[in-house]
């Protein structure tokens, strides 16, 4: 079945450590997205990529980094520079600017 | 720049009553508009979308929405609420050209009362 896979579902990180969240899609979509979700704040765009080897900052990119070396993969690294990383992270993909996005099941990151 | 505003972070309705969730957008070019539903600790599922053509759009689970350009609105409605409709709902906007940026509103949590 085609879809988007995020792993792991739950992730714990110590303060000061970098951590990478995985997102893989087999939908052959060009565009991929990372959102952060906090209670009462909706989905805020971190980074998005329209094509391999290219990505753009979203509204809250500080403290995060991404890469897009393969069409099907768009990993997100939460760096130690991110001051408040505890949140629910959602990855999405879409084909073209005009279609709907498909979402993974999310990764809940907790800093301990 | 494009943006989405959802009025009402929490909405409560009685079972069987009308559901109305509000969404207004701001966009310099004609937008494409979407409504999604999210259940706890899950990803988002598409309810319906407006791209071109008929401005009244029907989606899954009995929901529908009407695109009103003059009011820059895309409100979501359902004639009769069911307990299973309790969830969080998000409106999203995508531009018709130039960028793949995809922006969401802050969400509305719907509570259905027995």
């Amino acid at each position: 079945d085609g879809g988007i896979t995020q792993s792991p579902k739950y992730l714990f990180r110590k303060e000061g450590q970098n951590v990478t969240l995985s997102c893989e899609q087999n939908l052959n979509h060009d565009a991929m997205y990372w959102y952060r979700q906090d209670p009462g704040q909706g989905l805020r765009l971190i980074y998005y990529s329209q094509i391999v080897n290219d990505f753009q900052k979203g509204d809250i990119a500080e403290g995060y980094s991404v890469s897009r070396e393969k069409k099907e993969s768009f990993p997100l690294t939460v760096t130690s520079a991110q001051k408040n990383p505890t949140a629910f992270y959602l990855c999405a993909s879409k084909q073209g600017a005009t279609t709907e996005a498909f979402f993974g099941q999310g990764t809940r990151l907790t800093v301990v | 720049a494009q943006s989405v505003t959802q009025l009402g972070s929490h909405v409560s309705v009685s079972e069987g009553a009308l559901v109305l969730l509000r969404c207004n957008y701001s966009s310099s070019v004609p937008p494409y508009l979407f409504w999604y539903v999210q259940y706890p600790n899950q990803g988002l599922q598409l309810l319906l979308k407006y791209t071109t053509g008929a401005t009244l759009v029907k989606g899954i689970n009995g929901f529908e929405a009407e695109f009103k350009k003059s009011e820059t609105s895309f409100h979501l409605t359902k004639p009769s609420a069911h307990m299973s409709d309790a969830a969080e709902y998000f409106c999203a906007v995508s531009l018709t050209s130039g960028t793949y940026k995809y922006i969401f509103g802050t969400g509305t949590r719907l509570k259905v009362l027995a």
Side-chain angles (χ1 to χ4, degrees):
Chain A
D1 286 341
I4 299 178
T5 301
Q6 290 187 241
S7 61
K9 188 170 178 66
Y10 299 96
L11 188 57
F12 295 88
R13 188 197 92 174
K14 293 183 178 179
E15 279 194 43
Q17 289 182 338
N18 293 354
V19 63
T20 298
L21 282 61
S22 170
C23 179
E24 303 277 334
Q25 55 101 357
N26 60 5
L27 299 167
N28 201 34
H29 287 171
D30 288 326
M32 296 188 74
Y33 303 78
W34 274 107
Y35 293 91
R36 170 178 171 144
Q37 187 175 18
D38 298 281
Q41 299 193 53
L43 276 69
R44 293 184 290 169
L45 183 62
I46 304 173
Y47 271 97
Y48 65 105
S49 168
Q50 298 179 192
I51 196 170
V52 174
N53 293 323
D54 185 53
F55 48 84
Q56 286 76 41
K57 292 182 179 180
D59 300 318
I60 57 164
E62 185 175 351
Y64 300 97
S65 66
V66 294
S67 62
R68 188 86 188 276
E69 298 177 0
K70 299 185 295 182
K71 187 175 186 178
E72 59 270 24
S73 179
F74 191 43
L76 173 74
T77 297
V78 184
T79 75
S80 57
Q82 170 49 236
K83 298 305 180 188
N84 185 21
T86 295
F88 189 53
Y89 291 87
L90 285 162
C91 178
S93 71
K94 65 200 297 278
Q95 180 59 24
T98 60
T99 60
E100 68 270 25
F102 291 79
F103 282 82
Q105 291 299 296
T107 293
R108 185 165 296 280
L109 173 64
T110 303
V111 174
V112 296
Chain B
Q2 67 202 92
S3 66
V4 178
T5 301
Q6 290 184 241
L7 291 177
S9 58
H10 292 81
V11 170
S12 294
V13 300
S14 299
E15 191 174 20
L18 171 72
V19 175
L20 170 61
L21 304 182
R22 301 179 185 273
C23 174
N24 288 87
Y25 70 90
S26 171
S27 176
S28 58
V29 297
Y32 288 177
L33 296 159
F34 307 83
W35 275 101
Y36 288 84
V37 62
Q38 184 185 35
Y39 298 99
N41 293 313
Q42 294 188 23
L44 276 67
Q45 178 185 5
L46 181 72
L47 280 176
L48 48 80
K49 64 180 179 182
Y50 168 77
T51 53
T52 58
T55 56
L56 182 62
V57 180
K58 295 187 184 298
I60 62 173
N61 301 339
F63 284 94
E64 62 183 36
E66 186 171 10
F67 172 60
K68 292 187 177 180
K69 185 177 179 181
S70 61
E71 298 177 8
T72 61
S73 69
F74 190 56
H75 302 330
L76 182 71
T77 61
K78 182 174 180 177
S80 177
H82 191 272
M83 297 298 289
S84 62
D85 294 327
E88 190 154 21
Y89 293 80
F90 292 93
C91 183
V93 61
S94 175
L95 296 185
T96 54
S97 64
T99 175
Y100 280 42
K101 200 172 184 181
Y102 199 63
I103 300 298
F104 285 81
T106 53
T108 298
R109 186 170 297 280
L110 176 65
K111 186 175 182 179
V112 181
L113 307 171

